[in-house]
């Protein structure tokens, strides 16, 4: 595995890869969720590139940029064992300069749900993903469905800007207790983790309701919120949208995403279910 830190180092290493390339962009603190993206990239391509960069422009003032978990050595080891060919670990001044040209999230889809709770977040995500996709020039790039709105906006960006890289959605990976894997789970105390399990349970409840014939999204949302309120510190949103992120009144099988954002203690967690 070649570890690169600057654009020039990366470009030199990239030239040695002659064949299809799968790319997995991450912010590090790698867990089994990331590993599943890397494995899928390996299965579907001859070479795999991973980036680790905690992107400052997607964090809002007061968010956890400074305490975002960093595990550089462990991450390198995980990538090496997983068979990654190039690991790109730039610093902020490698990725950004002053007075940059900006990619902006779309005014509606980028400012609802996560974009409403975290205004400007998706501008930063799209900015860095655009840079990384252009730099890496991969055939396919892999993103988890857990960040459903991010995935949808990146897919739209790739379409709107005629990018050559195909955006590949990957399933959510959960711990045995059902909690979706996230680098932020390390912030949870034992008690908070128990409370956090209400999030996947609320999605499970929604799924059971749908299986028993309840398609009215308000009723499903209300029963999820009732369950979440039994333990989480704050329910930021529970919303049911179609794959274009438009709110829907009735569940559309094969075209629905149920989304939750909640705070447990001070930790903000998101999860979702694709129906
Ligand atoms: O999902 C993430 O880890 C980040 O938002 C991404 C896509 C690596 C951009 O910084």
């Amino acid at each position: 595995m070649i570890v690169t830190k600057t654009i020039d180092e990366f470009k030199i290493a990239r030239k040695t890869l002659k064949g299809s390339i799968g790319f997995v962009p991450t912010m590090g603190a790698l867990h089994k969720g990331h590993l599943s993206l890397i494995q899928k990239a390996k299965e579907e391509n001859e070479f795999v590139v991973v980036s680790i960069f905690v992107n400052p422009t997607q964090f809002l003032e007061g968010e956890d940029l400074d305490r975002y978990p960093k595990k550089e050595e462990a991450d390198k080891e995980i990538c090496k064992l997983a068979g990654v060919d190039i690991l790109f670990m730039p610093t902020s001044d490698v990725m950004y300069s002053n007075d940059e040209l900006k990619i902006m999230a779309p005014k509606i889809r980028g400012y609802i749900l996560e974009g409403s709770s975290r205004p400007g977040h998706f501008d930063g995500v799209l900015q860095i993903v655009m840079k990384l996709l252009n730099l890496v020039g991969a055939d396919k790039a892999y993103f988890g469905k857990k960040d459903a709105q991010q995935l949808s906006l990146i897919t739209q960006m790739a379409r709107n800007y005629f990018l050559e890289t195909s955006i590949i959605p990957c399933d959510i990976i959960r711990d045995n207790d059902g909690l979706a894997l996230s680098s932020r789970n390390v912030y949870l105390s034992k008690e908070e983790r128990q409370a956090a399990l209400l999030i996947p349970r609320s999605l499970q409840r929604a799924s059971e309701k749908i299986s028993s014939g309840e398609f009215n999204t308000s009723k499903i949302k209300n029963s999820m919120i009732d369950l979440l309120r039994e333990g989480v510190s704050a329910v930021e949103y529970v919303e049911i949208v179609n794959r274009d992120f438009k709110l829907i009144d009735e569940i559309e099988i094969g075209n629905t995403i149920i989304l939750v954002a909640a705070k447990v203690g001070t930790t903000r967690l998101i999860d979702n279910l694709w129906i």
Side-chain angles (χ1 to χ4, degrees), residues 113-114 145-149 171-175 177-182 185 196-204 224 228 237-240 245 257-263 268-274:
L113 302 162
E114 281 304 282
K145 286 182 176 174
K146 179 167 166 289
D147 294 299
Q149 196 176 358
D171 287 339
I172 296 176
I173 305 293
R174 299 181 180 280
D175 257 329
D177 59 8
L179 192 65
L181 293 185
S182 160
N185 291 351
L197 293 181
L198 289 169
I199 297 172
R201 282 187 197 137
S202 71
L203 292 167
Q204 178 63 31
M224 291 174 70
L228 287 163
Y237 63 77
V238 173
E239 288 298 356
I240 304 185
F245 274 82
I257 312 174
I258 305 178
L259 303 138
V260 181
K263 271 201 166 155
R268 187 173 183 281
L269 298 172
I270 58 170
D271 199 351
N272 62 68
L273 181 67
W274 296 51

Side-chain angles (χ1 to χ4, degrees), residues 171-195:
D171 287 339
I172 296 176
I173 305 293
R174 299 181 180 280
D175 257 329
N176 291 339
D177 59 8
L179 192 65
L181 293 185
S182 160
S183 303
R184 291 192 166 101
N185 291 351
V186 297
Y187 300 150
L188 299 170
S189 68
K190 228 170 160 184
E191 294 73 32
E192 286 171 344
R193 190 173 172 106
Q194 280 311 307

